[in-house]
């Protein structure tokens, strides 16, 4: 595994997310399913909030003595296990209000582009010190990008389920 592979996977996942959101009308994006879970728009907003890693990636860092990719397989194993239900941290729970499609897409694109631009000019092997997920400890910059990728892939699966239900 290398930075290029992780970044390609990030771009594939985020482009798929944008494609799915773009394919729906604003009404479809905000339509609740019979299960009363999140709408596609709410999933998009949740991901947009979770992409607020710029402060962490751009924050305090240090060199590490381990592989910068060490935690990626564990992250993927957890987030890509669709049999387990996860609860969102309250900071990234989406609004119950109607979500504007164009604003959502613009904000998602801007956050995705920021990560792409940042990754081209920065050492991604550094360990981020400003925030950590309690069960995992601190991530490297590339692990944070991989975390966002797996998180996005998990929600793409959810979005596809929602789309099937709202188009029935």
């Amino acid at each position: 595994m290398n930075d290029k592979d992780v970044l390609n996977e990030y771009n594939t996942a985020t482009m798929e997310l944008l494609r799915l959101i773009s394919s729906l009308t604003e009404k479809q994006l905000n339509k609740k399913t019979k299960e009363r879970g999140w709408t596609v728009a709410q999933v998009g907003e949740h991901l947009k909030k979770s992409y607020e890693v710029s402060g962490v990636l751009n924050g305090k860092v240090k060199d590490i003595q381990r592989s910068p990719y060490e935690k990626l397989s564990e992250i993927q194993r957890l987030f890509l296990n669709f049999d387990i239900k996860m609860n969102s941290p309250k900071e990234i729970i989406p609004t119950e209000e109607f979500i504007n499609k164009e604003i959502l897409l613009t904000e998602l694109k801007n956050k995705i582009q920021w990560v792409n631009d940042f990754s081209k000019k920065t050492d991604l092997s550094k360990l981020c010190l400003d925030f950590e997920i309690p069960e995992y400890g601190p991530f490297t910059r590339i692990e944070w990008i991989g975390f966002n990728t797996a998180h996005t892939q998990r929600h793409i699966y959810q979005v596809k389920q929602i789309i099937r239900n709202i188009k029935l």
Side-chain angles (χ1 to χ4, degrees), residues 89-107:
K90 66 179 187 289
E91 298 82 13
I92 59 174
I93 290 177
T95 181
E96 290 294 326
E97 305 297 318
F98 187 87
I99 297 170
N100 178 283
K101 176 181 177 177
E102 291 310 313
I103 293 172
L104 176 62
L105 281 169
T106 298
E107 291 175 345

Side-chain angles (χ1 to χ4, degrees), residues 3 7 57-58 113-124 141 145:
D3 288 1
L7 293 169
L57 294 176
N58 219 5
Q113 188 60 51
W114 185 92
V115 170
N116 284 322
D117 293 343
F118 181 82
S119 65
K120 291 176 186 163
K121 62 182 185 206
T122 309
D123 181 352
L124 300 177
R141 287 171 168 154
I145 294 169

Side-chain angles (χ1 to χ4, degrees), residues 134-146:
E135 300 83 33
Y136 292 95
F139 288 160
T140 61
R141 287 171 168 154
I142 197 69
E143 287 168 338
W144 271 113
I145 294 169

Side-chain angles (χ1 to χ4, degrees), residues 1-15:
M1 183 170 296
N2 60 45
D3 288 1
K4 186 177 182 205
D5 292 338
V6 175
L7 293 169
N8 282 341
E9 204 170 318
Y10 173 78
N11 282 316
T12 299
T14 54
M15 291 305 107

